């Protein structure tokens, strides 16, 4: 059944009659992508979550090269606040060229897994690893403590956490990461044209909903229907936050592969910084069941975390290796995907969609409405 808008439509678009193309069933599914923004709870594993002093300190540290051992890079070198907290390079470039694309850091509060391979189960651990990773900021615990102690941030640090001198270097590292995490929790994407459409549908205000472009509506219908995108890209963030093989080659060169989730799990299961570990501030260890119950399996090889599609138009290039230059290329990838090459066991969701040129343009138009108009 189609719901037609008559009275308001002629006024809205002049010659072409604007209408809501979605069926009742499609409208119901569309409501599941909101409301936006979501209500974010404070992080019980981080005692400075929501603390305004920690947020301010975390923001300053994020942008300061004091967090790198040689003073040459900051988090913002790769996660540029001017570029939606990513950069336009295919693969992150810091001390060395990394294998993966830099993800944007918005809408990260409250996820179950972080990183392309899910090597962290909480946001402060995902903020901690880059400080000490050899290929990223390359501090040791000791050199970080010295750097913070000798920096202008020491008094702000001590206001929140007490005397730094008496603290073990590992505690300084965790505290530092928790301030950055408190800051990252505050980063979110704004409401978009899509959210206005979705909320109008919820209010049953079809005249307002009809403002949403017809091409984007057709793209949304494909997203929900024949494209099957919603199987993985679902909920208000357009991500199930789980791991899949979306058909992007995972060979790094002739002999090496990006292990994806398999490597992420190896890392996670030997990490001291999980929700089940001693550094979590949550006495109830909420959420720790996930890390306790995950098991490695061969099918995790070469799978990657489903990215959120909120703000996606602002963060080209795409995929874990940055190999697809724009949204058009991503849709063409799904259109021609070679199902034979999907290696993960049991991943029978994706198959070549063989989209027409108009369908490709419609899906791109839909994805564009998930970002704020510049
Ligand atoms: C050299 C570039 C580079 C630097 C410097 C860097 N990052 Fe990243 N960041 C990346 C890349 C690449 C990934 C994806 C890594 C992966 O999943 O394997 C990432 C992932 C993340 C994630 C997980 C995002 C998600 O969607 O799950 C967080 C959080 C993060 N970085 C925070 C930081 C913080 C905080 C700093 C500074 C302490 C920092 N990064 C420094 C490149 C960088
Ligand atoms: C089987 C689950 C699954 C389905 C179905 C799926 N995706 Fe994805 N999507 C993913 C995963 C996983 C990635 C990341 C893959 C990688 O980096 O190797 C991804 C990446 C993307 C990206 C790039 C985002 C970024 O920030 O790099 C876009 C855009 C996208 N998908 C859109 C779609 C559309 C449109 C459809 C339907 C035609 C679709 N996806 C179907 C799981 C899925």
């Amino acid at each position: 059944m189609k719901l037609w808008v008559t009275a308001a439509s002629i006024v809205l678009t002049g010659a072409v009659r604007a209408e809501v193309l979605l069926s009742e069933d499609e409208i119901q599914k569309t409501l599941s992508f909101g409301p936006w923004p979501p209500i974010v709870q404070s992080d019980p594993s981080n005692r400075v979550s929501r603390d305004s002093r920690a947020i301010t300190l975390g923001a300053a540290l994020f942008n300061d090269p004091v967090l790198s051992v040689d003073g040459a890079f900051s988090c913002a070198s790769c996660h540029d606040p001017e570029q939606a907290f990513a950069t336009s390079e295919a693969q992150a470039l810091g001390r060395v060229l990394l294998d993966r694309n830099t993800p944007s850091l918005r809408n990260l509060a409250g996820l179950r897994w972080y990183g392309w391979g899910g090597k962290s189960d909480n946001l402060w651990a995902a903020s901690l690893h880059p400080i000490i990773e050899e290929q990223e900021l390359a501090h040791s615990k000791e050199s970080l403590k010295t750097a913070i102690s000798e920096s202008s941030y020491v008094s702000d640090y001590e206001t929140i956490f007490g005397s730094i001198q008496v603290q073990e270097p590992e505690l300084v590292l965790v505290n530092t990461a928790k301030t950055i995490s408190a800051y990252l929790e505050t980063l979110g994407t704004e409401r978009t044209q899509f959210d206005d459409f979705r909320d109008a549908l919820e209010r049953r205000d079809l005249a307002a909903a009809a403002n949403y472009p017809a091409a984007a509506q057709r793209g949304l219908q494909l997203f929900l229907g024949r494209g099957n995108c919603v199987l993985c890209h679902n909920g208000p963030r357009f991500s199930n936050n789980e791991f899949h093989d979306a058909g992007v080659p995972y060979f790094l060169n002739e002999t090496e592969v990006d292990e994806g989730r398999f490597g992420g799990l190896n890392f996670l299961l030997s990490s001291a910084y999980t929700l089940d570990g001693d550094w979590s501030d949550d006495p109830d260890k909420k959420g720790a069941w996930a890390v306790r119950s995950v098991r490695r399996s061969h099918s995790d090889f070469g799978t990657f975390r489903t990215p959120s599609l909120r703000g996606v138009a602002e963060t080209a290039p795409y995929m874990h290796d940055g190999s697809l230059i724009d949204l058009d290329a991503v849709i063409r990838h799904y259109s021609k995907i070679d199902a034979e090459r999907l290696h993960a066991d049991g991943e029978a969701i994706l198959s070549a969609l063989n989209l027409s040129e108009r369908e490709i343009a419609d899906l791109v138009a839909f994805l564009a409405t998930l970002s704020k108009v510049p």
Side-chain angles (χ1 to χ4, degrees):
M1 185 192 70
K2 303 260 188 249
L3 292 165
W4 298 88
V5 180
T6 47
S9 55
I10 299 152
V11 188
L12 289 169
T13 58
V16 185
R17 195 165 84 157
E19 56 189 315
V20 173
L21 303 174
L22 275 54
S23 69
E24 190 53 39
D25 180 51
E26 288 166 336
I27 289 176
Q28 287 311 318
K29 287 182 178 149
T30 300
L31 298 187
S32 71
F33 297 124
W36 195 262
I39 295 163
V40 175
Q41 311 291 336
S42 90
D43 176 355
S45 71
N46 178 0
R47 69 190 188 286
V48 298
S49 170
R50 297 283 178 98
D51 178 324
S52 58
R53 297 164 311 173
I55 293 169
T56 307
L57 176 58
L61 290 171
F62 183 87
N63 288 288
D64 198 306
V66 69
L67 286 193
S68 90
V69 69
D70 51 9
F73 300 96
S74 68
C75 310
S77 307
C78 294
H79 302 284
D80 181 357
E82 301 291 308
Q83 300 183 64
F85 295 89
T87 55
S88 53
E89 277 130 13
Q91 289 155 263
L93 180 61
R95 195 171 307 279
V96 294
L97 185 67
L98 302 182
D99 297 327
R100 293 184 181 166
N101 181 253
T102 306
S104 168
L105 298 182
R106 302 169 305 173
N107 306 328
L108 291 184
L111 301 186
R112 182 165 302 147
W113 309 117
Y114 295 89
W116 283 109
K119 72 179 192 180
S120 308
D121 69 349
N122 68 80
L123 188 51
W124 50 268
S127 307
L128 181 153
H129 298 308
I131 304 175
I132 52 172
E133 289 283 315
E134 190 57 44
Q135 300 200 319
E136 294 187 56
L137 302 180
H139 262 302
S140 65
K141 292 163 191 152
E142 291 73 20
S143 68
L144 178 73
K145 177 174 171 178
T146 307
I148 301 275
S149 303
E150 292 173 355
S151 76
S152 59
Y153 300 113
V154 67
S155 62
D156 290 337
Y157 178 96
E158 294 192 326
T159 311
I160 305 167
F161 299 110
S163 169
I164 195 169
Q165 283 325 312
V166 301
Q167 294 174 10
E168 290 294 322
E170 188 166 24
L171 177 58
V172 176
L173 171 67
V174 173
N175 286 341
T176 301
K178 284 179 178 169
T179 68
I180 297 174
S181 179
Y183 164 59
L184 296 182
E185 282 175 13
T186 68
L187 306 179
T189 53
E190 291 172 70
R191 282 179 60 84
T192 66
Q193 206 182 2
F194 171 79
D195 297 303
D196 293 341
F197 174 63
R198 184 248 169 231
D199 291 0
L201 292 176
E202 190 172 48
R203 294 193 310 271
R204 294 275 145 189
D205 182 351
L206 297 186
N211 279 326
Y212 189 61
Q217 293 192 47
R218 292 192 302 267
L220 170 58
Q221 288 177 308
L222 276 166
F223 193 88
L224 297 170
R226 190 161 79 81
N228 254 338
C229 316
V230 68
L231 277 173
C232 303
H233 297 282
N234 50 41
R237 289 185 175 84
F238 290 86
S239 170
N240 61 1
N241 205 32
E242 284 299 334
F243 302 83
H244 301 277
D245 173 10
V248 180
Y250 59 110
F251 278 93
L252 298 171
N253 52 47
E254 277 174 16
T255 51
E256 285 176 293
V257 296
D258 186 328
E259 296 181 345
R261 179 56 167 159
F262 193 81
L265 270 178
N266 276 336
F267 188 99
L268 178 83
L269 293 173
S270 60
S271 171
Y273 309 112
T274 69
L275 293 181
D276 200 25
D278 294 341
W279 296 104
S280 164
D281 297 322
D282 181 3
D284 299 333
K285 297 248 153 87
K286 265 203 249 19
W289 61 268
V291 61
R292 282 182 205 142
S293 54
V294 277
R295 298 282 175 274
R296 268 162 294 198
S297 137
H298 187 72
S299 63
D300 296 323
F301 241 88
T303 65
F304 297 89
R305 201 180 96 224
T306 309
S308 167
L309 300 180
R310 291 235 167 225
V312 72
E314 299 154 60
T315 60
Y318 300 107
M319 303 307 194
H320 72 272
D321 56 358
S323 57
L324 300 177
I325 58 162
D326 56 20
L327 290 174
D328 185 77
V330 174
I331 303 303
R332 284 176 200 281
H333 162 82
Y334 282 114
S335 184
K336 290 288 165 223
I337 205 165
D338 181 355
E340 296 295 309
R341 282 186 47 197
L342 295 178
H343 58 283
D345 308 339
E347 193 84 271
I349 302 169
L350 288 163
S351 60
L353 297 170
N354 296 314
L355 302 166
S356 69
E357 286 301 313
R358 178 171 123 157
E359 289 174 320
I360 292 171
D362 287 346
L363 268 166
V364 172
F366 163 65
L367 292 177
T369 68
L370 304 180
S371 297
K372 188 114 181 87
V373 182

